[in-house]
Amino acid sequence: MRYQGRTYIGSVLVSVNPNKDLEIYSKAHMERYRGVSFYEISPHIYAVSDNTYRAMRTERRDQCILISGESGAGKTEASKKILQYYATTCPVTDHLSTLRDRLVQSNPVLEAFGNAKTLRNDNSSRFGKYMDVQFDFRGAPIGGHILNYLLEKSRVVHQNHGERNFHIFYQLLEGGEQNLLSKLGLERNAQKYQYLVKGCCPRVSSINDKNDWRTVRKALTVIGFHEDEVEDLLNIIASVLHLGNTQFGEGKNGENQITTEPQLKYLSKLLGVDGAALREALTHKKITAKGEEMISPLSFEQAVAARDALAKAVYGRAFTWLVVKINQSLAFKDDVYNSSKGSSSVIGLLDIYGFEVFQHNSFEQFCINYCNEKLHQLFIELTLKSEQEEYEAEGITWEPVKYFDNKIICDLVEGKHKGLISILDEECLRPGEPSDISFLEKLEDTLGGHAHFVTHKLSNGKTRKAVSREEFKLIHYAGEVNYSVNGFLDKNKDLLYRNLKEVICQSNSQVLSQCFHREEVTDQKRPETTATQFKNSLAKLIEILMSKEPSYVRCIKPNDAKQSGRFDEALVRHQVKYLGLMENLRVRRAGFAYRRHYETFLQRYKSLCPGTWPNWQGRLADGVATLVQHLGYKPEEYKLGKTKIFIRFPKTLFSTEDSLEARRPALVLTLQTSWRGYRERAKYLRIRQAVIVIQSAWRGMISRQKARRRRHAVDIIRKFIKGFIYRHYEHCPENEYFLDHQRFSFLMMLFRNPPKSVLDKSWPIPPPCLTEASEHLCRLCMRNMMRAYCRRIQPEWKKQMEQKVVASQIFKDQKDSYPQSVPKLFVASRLNSEEFNLKVIQTLGNDKVKYGIAVTKYDRRGYKARPRQLLLTSSFAMLVAEAKLKQRIDYATLRSISVSSLSDGFMVLHVPSEDNKQKSDVVLQCDHLIEVVTKLATMADKKIKVNMSQDSITFAVARGKEGVIDFTSGPELKVAKCKKGHLLVTAPKLNP
């Protein structure tokens, strides 16, 4: 049903169902009504929703919205719009968005299982629903809880002409996948199922069962149903259809038996029970007499009734289980429904079946209309009766408005002993064979004189034709309704044969095991009747609604044909009359829109008047009078009662609220300033007190530490002095500390200042007791440093060092030019590869030149200087002149090398003269003498002797002949032949 034309009567929204979609429910419309005062813009369901929400947040009081009206007036759509408004506009976190979705998606699920097409409404609620939505201190929805009332279970097995069973059956057949239907044993044809054909209305133009099926499956997933739970639920739905197709016939022995075996097989599979036990339970009943159990066969009528009772029981309890599961998914932590917590508030939403008058009205219509009577009584109590009584109690001048009080009808139905429900229960429980007719006769005997109760027997001649002999008429607040007593007793008892209960209690279905408890079979206590249960649940509902601040939505149906644009004035006038809207209008016009206790009013608005801010010390009435005088209220705008102030016009209250909103920033600033000052002062005092405590503790701790350090220092000094006195004695207790201190000090000094390198020879002087240990440590330290130094040396540098060691061994303190050569690195060769003659290289073959240098060779005769190249290989040295190999000197035949101690570059290579292959000794001069001699010494396998001469060197010129080289000091290097035939070399002295 689409929704709505609307207007206000006080705080009551009057809504008219237009029977078509109106473009007034977008998010933009929600924002338009969000946070806006109630009467500022045109009436709307969103305005009621927002006003209720803001009242809950500002006044911290639980609220409820009561939606009432005839079937087809748009109550269900109104409740859905309210939920959508809260889901869209309320603040929500990512964590709570799931709950918001579940609140919204619970509607299509409950509609599928609890709504059906009736003659007056294509989506009529066949159960009552009250939903609590719980909000936290921020106004975000955090939980929900649903109470359901009196599902019309008889619709499962019977529908009037033009009506349908519950939507879920048609949705399953139209939208279910083919493999699912095959698994459930169903066909995609509603005409083949007895429980779906009695109304002769399998399809409805305004309903798309296929799309609704997809919506329901998605909603079940969003709410949090597991796949196995959904599977069990669909098994139950399919089992109800199979139960309807279960037929009975007469067997061979004349007993009643099941004639449709396929249905029985599917039933045992879908319900999870034993097939043979189910067959027995459907055709026999168990009777207990005098402690003995007997099995009695059922007649055909009894078997059909047992089958239908099982179908209704299974579906009804599955619906209750469905509501419980939805409540579990909506629950916040473990205690959603407990609204007593100070941090949360509740908005209740009542969407319950409307007043119904059909051609044939039975027990269900009686309960539904009784419920509407109770809700109308509540409406009267809260809007008409209580309001007028309040004016009189407060001393407000008031002309009473007359209205019809339907308490007389409620007492007729629910009165103790003489009420209709009490009589019905008594007839159900009395021994003998009570019947629906005997119940009607008892009603006539007990209620015969009541003005709102009429039967065929009690009516006069003019009205007798309007009531049949099997009916009674109740004159409700909404009109007269004839109720057929047929089936009243059975529906009130709502009994299921014991053996059927036993079979279902053995079911392995997860859902059925939670719906049917095994304790029911053994419990001997008689269960409450359906009417009594409904009456008690209604009493609890009224108690819940009375504890909350109500808002009202009164729904009007414009016509019975569900046509848009058609307004049946007589029908609407009738609804306006029985809903009490005219009386409510008169009360509101003559009354006051707003009333509050003096304390509440003064507490809220005292900041608007300097005389009442921040606190009023006198009488509350005087404070309120001062406040309204300052606000400029006119005498006709308000009245002061004994304990309350009454404001007549909403605009007066809105103006006051606007003034409060304008005042709030200044109040907030004042409160913030005061709070910050208080907080900072409290913080300062806490810090100050903490500082005093810390300072005291700190001073005490410091003093104790100083005392301990002094005592310890005195003990140390005493030990030190005594140890110093006994330092030369053997180790004893008197000098133990002193000697340990000496050892520790020496070791710590050594640890802090060890030798930095292998060349650092410094070492601290140890105490006498550590002399030997010091020597060991010194050796270990040097060894470690040397090992570390050697590990760090690269191969090239190692070779360089080895050559430097050889040079040191030969020339240190012997050669005048040695100190200048130490820092200079030896090179691999003094000649480049381009300076080597190619023929010489080819002559050498596999012998590679390791080192080469340019030298000057002096002849044996006349000492003529000739330029040569000295090339060193791994096994011999040779002198080369251009491309000619002048002389080869094998290292094996080289006896020794003679050099002077001066800074000259002369050297003599002594070779044996008896070797014909070798010539006489060779006299050479070069610039890097120390490097050349070192290279020769390292390349030769044997140790070559190097002679160091200070004055002269004698060398062999030829066999039996010798030459002499004299050396003398001079300012510069000179080489000349002297008169004696010697070679005279003058060299400067570099290290005098």
Side-chain angles (χ1 to χ4, degrees):
M1 196 70 68
R2 276 74 62 190
Y3 187 75
Q4 81 207 41
R6 60 259 185 267
T7 188
Y8 290 135
I9 301 177
S11 60
V12 180
L13 175 69
V14 180
S15 165
V16 181
N17 186 354
N19 292 298
K20 67 177 182 179
D21 290 322
L22 299 179
E23 301 299 326
I24 57 173
Y25 301 104
S26 63
K27 193 170 183 180
H29 280 82
M30 293 183 185
E31 292 298 329
R32 181 187 176 200
Y33 285 90
R34 185 177 184 182
V36 179
S37 296
F38 199 45
Y39 297 97
E40 287 188 14
I41 52 179
S42 59
H44 200 287
I45 192 70
Y46 291 159
V48 175
S49 306
D50 186 73
N51 186 66
T52 303
Y53 177 73
R54 286 188 291 114
M56 176 202 69
R57 295 206 64 190
T58 56
E59 300 179 14
R60 286 296 173 189
R61 183 177 177 186
D62 293 345
Q63 306 286 317
C64 65
I65 301 176
L66 308 184
I67 308 172
S68 58
E70 281 193 11
S71 177
K75 301 184 298 301
T76 300
E77 288 297 320
S79 66
K80 288 159 67 173
K81 299 300 181 188
I82 294 171
L83 273 180
Q84 288 173 1
Y85 179 82
Y86 292 146
T88 303
T89 61
C90 293
V92 65
T93 62
D94 293 339
H95 176 70
L96 296 178
S97 62
T98 302
L99 174 67
R100 178 192 63 187
D101 295 338
R102 288 177 176 178
L103 280 170
V104 174
Q105 294 298 326
S106 63
N107 269 319
V109 174
L110 292 176
E111 286 184 13
F113 286 86
N115 288 24
K117 179 197 179 304
T118 64
L119 293 174
R120 297 190 174 188
N121 186 358
D122 290 347
N123 188 31
S124 177
S125 297
R126 308 318 298 162
F127 72 105
K129 179 181 69 174
Y130 173 76
M131 173 183 283
D132 265 343
V133 182
Q134 187 178 7
F135 299 84
D136 64 7
F137 67 96
R138 298 169 301 174
I142 58 173
H145 188 88
I146 298 172
L147 297 176
N148 63 300
Y149 301 95
L150 191 65
L151 177 71
E152 188 187 17
K153 294 185 291 185
S154 62
R155 183 168 294 273
V156 174
V157 300
H158 177 76
Q159 308 91 41
N160 292 327
H161 184 77
E163 296 185 350
R164 297 207 313 175
N165 209 322
F166 293 103
H167 294 325
I168 187 63
F169 294 108
Y170 307 95
Q171 292 172 1
L172 173 60
L173 295 179
E174 288 292 326
E177 299 80 1
Q178 188 59 48
N179 58 347
L180 174 62
L181 296 180
S182 301
K183 181 179 179 182
L184 298 175
L186 301 178
E187 297 181 35
R188 203 181 298 278
N189 185 358
Q191 298 288 350
K192 293 192 175 184
Y193 299 98
Q194 294 300 315
Y195 283 165
L196 304 183
V197 299
K198 295 183 179 181
C200 300
C201 187
R203 298 181 185 274
V204 182
S205 60
S206 62
I207 298 176
N208 189 326
D209 292 314
K210 195 170 187 178
N211 289 342
D212 291 344
W213 167 258
R214 288 194 289 266
T215 303
V216 170
R217 287 306 304 265
K218 179 183 177 182
L220 289 171
T221 303
V222 172
I223 293 172
F225 282 82
H226 299 298
E227 282 300 321
D228 53 345
E229 293 174 335
V230 175
E231 182 180 349
D232 282 354
L233 194 59
L234 296 180
N235 287 345
I236 292 173
I237 301 303
S239 69
V240 171
L241 295 179
H242 285 298
L243 272 173
N245 285 1
T246 301
Q247 302 297 321
F248 301 92
E250 187 174 339
K252 295 180 180 179
N253 299 325
E255 293 184 353
N256 191 38
Q257 66 178 12
I258 295 175
T259 59
T260 50
E261 287 298 326
Q263 271 66 37
L264 186 63
K265 291 181 180 179
Y266 278 118
L267 282 172
S268 63
K269 173 187 174 183
L270 296 173
L271 295 176
V273 298
D274 179 66
L278 181 60
R279 181 199 302 273
E280 180 73 14
L282 286 173
T283 55
H284 295 76
K285 66 179 178 179
K286 185 179 292 186
I287 302 174
T288 303
K290 297 182 180 181
E292 295 183 1
E293 290 186 352
M294 295 182 293
I295 303 298
S296 173
L298 296 176
S299 65
F300 177 82
E301 291 78 10
Q302 290 175 329
V304 171
R307 177 200 67 188
D308 292 347
L310 177 61
K312 292 187 291 184
V314 167
Y315 189 86
R317 297 202 188 192
F319 182 80
T320 303
W321 173 87
L322 183 71
V323 175
V324 171
K325 288 295 293 183
I326 293 176
N327 284 337
Q328 291 174 358
S329 71
L330 298 179
F332 174 63
K333 295 185 179 177
D334 298 325
D335 196 17
V336 174
Y337 198 51
N338 183 8
S339 60
S340 62
K341 295 182 180 179
S343 60
S344 63
S345 301
V346 166
I347 294 179
L349 189 60
L350 180 64
D351 172 22
I352 206 160
Y353 15 59
F355 194 85
E356 292 185 348
V357 183
F358 297 138
Q359 185 176 359
H360 300 286
N361 302 290
S362 185
F363 179 77
E364 292 79 14
Q365 281 69 46
F366 167 74
C367 292
I368 289 172
N369 294 339
Y370 163 54
C371 173
N372 279 269
E373 289 283 358
K374 291 293 291 182
L375 293 176
H376 187 68
Q377 184 185 23
L378 176 67
F379 177 74
I380 291 172
E381 287 284 342
L382 297 179
T383 60
L384 301 176
K385 182 179 178 181
S386 62
E387 185 162 352
Q388 297 190 76
E389 290 176 351
E390 184 179 28
Y391 293 148
E392 294 177 3
E394 290 288 329
I396 304 297
T397 303
W398 176 259
E399 183 178 347
V401 175
K402 294 183 179 181
Y403 60 90
F404 172 69
D405 189 350
N406 71 331
K407 184 176 185 301
I408 186 174
I409 304 176
C410 294
D411 291 341
L412 170 66
V413 175
E414 65 184 10
K416 287 186 177 180
H417 306 302
K418 291 187 178 182
L420 199 150
I421 292 177
S422 297
I423 297 172
L424 177 60
D425 288 350
E426 183 179 342
E427 190 67 14
C428 288
L429 299 177
R430 77 174 177 85
E433 294 185 2
S435 65
D436 296 325
I437 299 300
S438 65
F439 163 62
L440 180 59
E441 292 172 352
K442 193 164 187 177
L443 287 179
E444 292 173 339
D445 294 340
T446 308
L447 305 175
H450 201 285
H452 291 268
F453 176 81
V454 179
T455 65
H456 181 84
K457 178 180 178 181
L458 298 175
S459 60
N460 54 37
K462 294 181 179 180
T463 60
R464 183 167 293 177
K465 292 183 179 180
V467 184
S468 73
R469 297 181 183 277
E470 297 179 349
E471 292 180 342
F472 65 90
K473 178 190 293 185
L474 291 183
I475 303 174
H476 291 281
Y477 76 98
E480 299 177 355
V481 182
N482 290 2
Y483 297 101
S484 172
V485 295
N486 292 330
F488 254 65
L489 267 61
D490 290 339
K491 292 177 181 178
N492 189 42
K493 293 177 183 177
D494 193 24
L495 292 178
L496 187 65
Y497 285 134
R498 180 181 173 185
N499 49 344
L500 275 175
K501 274 188 181 179
E502 291 176 350
V503 172
I504 301 301
C505 286
Q506 301 295 328
S507 172
N508 56 23
S509 168
Q510 180 182 352
V511 174
L512 287 177
S513 64
Q514 297 177 44
C515 295
F516 291 85
H517 303 287
R518 300 188 179 185
E519 294 79 7
E520 295 182 35
V521 179
T522 58
D523 190 3
Q524 300 297 323
K525 183 179 178 180
R526 184 183 296 272
E528 287 185 334
T529 61
T530 302
T532 300
Q533 290 179 19
F534 187 59
K535 182 181 73 171
N536 295 337
S537 62
L538 273 183
K540 292 179 181 178
L541 174 63
I542 298 300
E543 183 180 344
I544 291 172
L545 297 178
M546 290 289 287
S547 67
K548 296 175 171 56
E549 190 72 23
S551 298
Y552 302 94
V553 178
R554 307 293 256 177
C555 297
I556 302 292
K557 182 169 63 173
N559 60 78
D560 282 330
K562 296 176 281 190
Q563 295 178 359
S564 61
R566 178 182 170 187
F567 197 82
D568 189 337
E569 184 176 347
L571 176 64
V572 174
R573 189 185 299 274
H574 175 68
Q575 294 176 75
V576 169
K577 180 180 178 180
Y578 78 70
L579 288 174
L581 297 181
M582 296 304 296
E583 292 85 351
N584 187 39
L585 178 61
R586 286 194 288 270
V587 171
R588 283 296 178 179
R589 281 181 175 176
F592 298 85
Y594 179 85
R595 76 286 317 273
R596 278 294 181 270
H597 287 282
Y598 287 148
E599 182 179 3
T600 304
F601 185 83
L602 193 60
Q603 181 67 27
R604 182 167 180 80
Y605 301 112
K606 64 181 180 179
S607 60
L608 300 178
C609 175
T612 57
W613 176 257
N615 291 300
W616 175 259
Q617 302 299 334
R619 293 174 59 245
L620 293 175
D622 296 338
V624 172
T626 303
L627 176 58
V628 297
Q629 184 178 359
H630 177 78
L631 293 174
Y633 282 14
K634 296 177 181 179
E636 65 271 14
E637 292 180 339
Y638 75 98
K639 293 290 183 182
L640 295 179
K642 296 178 181 178
T643 62
K644 295 181 180 180
I645 179 175
F646 294 82
I647 299 176
R648 186 179 300 277
F649 305 117
K651 65 179 182 180
T652 305
L653 179 63
F654 296 156
S655 176
T656 307
E657 282 289 333
D658 292 340
S659 300
L660 180 62
E661 289 296 326
R663 173 74 173 145
R664 271 178 177 162
L667 293 176
V668 169
L669 183 60
T670 301
L671 291 173
Q672 286 179 339
T673 303
S674 300
W675 166 249
R676 291 188 183 117
Y678 167 78
R679 184 183 61 186
E680 294 303 321
R681 283 193 298 274
K683 183 179 178 181
Y684 166 74
L685 292 176
R686 288 196 304 271
I687 293 175
R688 181 180 176 185
Q689 183 63 29
V691 167
I692 293 173
V693 173
I694 293 172
Q695 285 178 340
S696 300
W698 177 257
R699 292 191 189 104
M701 184 186 71
I702 293 300
S703 298
R704 287 189 294 272
Q705 287 180 350
K706 285 182 178 179
R708 284 197 297 270
R709 284 199 297 268
R710 288 192 190 101
R711 286 194 296 270
H712 182 68
V714 168
D715 293 340
I716 295 299
I717 291 171
R718 285 174 179 169
K719 290 180 181 180
F720 200 85
I721 293 174
K722 186 178 289 187
F724 181 78
I725 294 173
Y726 286 90
R727 68 184 182 279
H728 297 302
Y729 288 80
E730 293 292 333
H731 191 278
C732 60
E734 287 75 10
N735 63 8
E736 180 180 10
Y737 179 80
F738 180 80
L739 296 179
D740 289 345
H741 178 73
Q742 274 191 322
R743 295 189 186 96
F744 178 78
S745 299
F746 173 75
L747 293 175
M748 289 304 297
M749 178 177 61
L750 195 59
F751 172 76
R752 295 189 184 100
N753 300 294
K756 299 298 186 293
S757 67
V758 293
L759 300 178
D760 185 4
K761 302 300 181 181
S762 62
W763 190 264
I765 299 174
C769 59
L770 285 179
T771 302
E772 184 178 357
S774 176
E775 293 175 355
H776 286 294
L777 288 174
C778 182
R779 286 195 299 271
L780 288 174
C781 181
M782 293 303 295
R783 187 180 301 166
N784 287 336
M785 286 193 297
M786 291 172 64
R787 184 179 291 111
Y789 181 80
C790 292
R791 280 199 296 267
R792 292 196 301 270
I793 294 177
Q794 298 296 327
E796 296 80 6
W797 185 248
K798 181 178 179 182
K799 184 177 180 181
Q800 186 75 219
M801 292 298 294
E802 290 174 348
Q803 294 177 1
K804 286 291 184 179
V805 169
V806 173
S808 174
Q809 293 172 350
I810 298 173
F811 297 103
K812 185 178 181 181
D813 298 331
Q814 301 292 328
K815 185 71 174 174
D816 192 32
S817 59
Y818 174 73
Q820 285 73 29
S821 69
V822 172
K824 297 178 182 179
L825 297 178
F826 294 161
V827 298
S829 177
R830 295 290 175 176
L831 297 176
N832 297 328
S833 58
E834 293 82 2
E835 296 181 77
F836 296 146
N837 191 278
L838 185 58
K839 291 183 178 181
V840 174
I841 298 301
Q842 292 175 349
T843 303
L844 292 175
N846 293 331
D847 293 325
K848 302 298 181 182
V849 177
K850 302 292 186 179
Y851 180 80
I853 188 173
V855 299
T856 302
K857 178 179 179 298
Y858 290 89
D859 290 344
R860 291 170 291 179
R861 297 180 181 84
Y863 300 111
K864 186 177 181 180
R866 300 183 184 276
R868 296 285 188 269
Q869 287 182 348
L870 177 62
L871 304 181
L872 304 182
T873 66
S874 58
S875 57
F876 59 88
M878 60 182 177
L879 291 173
V880 177
E882 296 181 355
K884 294 181 180 180
L885 183 61
K886 291 294 186 179
Q887 188 174 353
R888 170 173 172 159
I889 304 173
D890 293 326
Y891 298 144
T893 60
L894 183 62
R895 293 184 300 168
S896 62
I897 302 174
S898 296
V899 297
S900 72
S901 61
L902 300 179
S903 60
D904 60 278
F906 279 82
M907 66 176 176
V908 177
L909 302 180
H910 299 281
V911 295
S913 57
E914 63 273 6
D915 188 356
N916 294 327
K917 295 181 180 180
Q918 298 282 0
K919 297 182 179 179
S920 60
D921 295 343
V922 181
V923 179
L924 301 175
Q925 181 194 8
C926 60
D927 292 335
H928 303 280
L929 176 68
I930 295 176
E931 180 180 289
V932 174
V933 174
T934 302
K935 295 283 186 179
L936 277 169
T938 54
M939 287 186 184
D941 292 338
K942 67 176 185 177
K943 188 175 181 180
I944 300 176
K945 181 179 179 182
V946 180
N947 301 319
M948 199 69 60
S949 175
Q950 293 183 355
D951 299 328
S952 62
I953 296 175
T954 302
F955 61 93
V957 177
R959 290 186 179 178
K961 295 182 179 181
E962 292 182 346
V964 178
I965 303 175
D966 294 326
F967 296 93
T968 181
S969 300
E972 60 182 6
L973 180 63
K974 291 182 180 180
V975 180
K977 186 175 180 181
C978 63
K979 296 178 180 180
K980 297 180 181 181
H982 296 179
L983 184 63
L984 179 63
V985 179
T986 304
K989 197 169 183 65
L990 300 179
N991 297 303

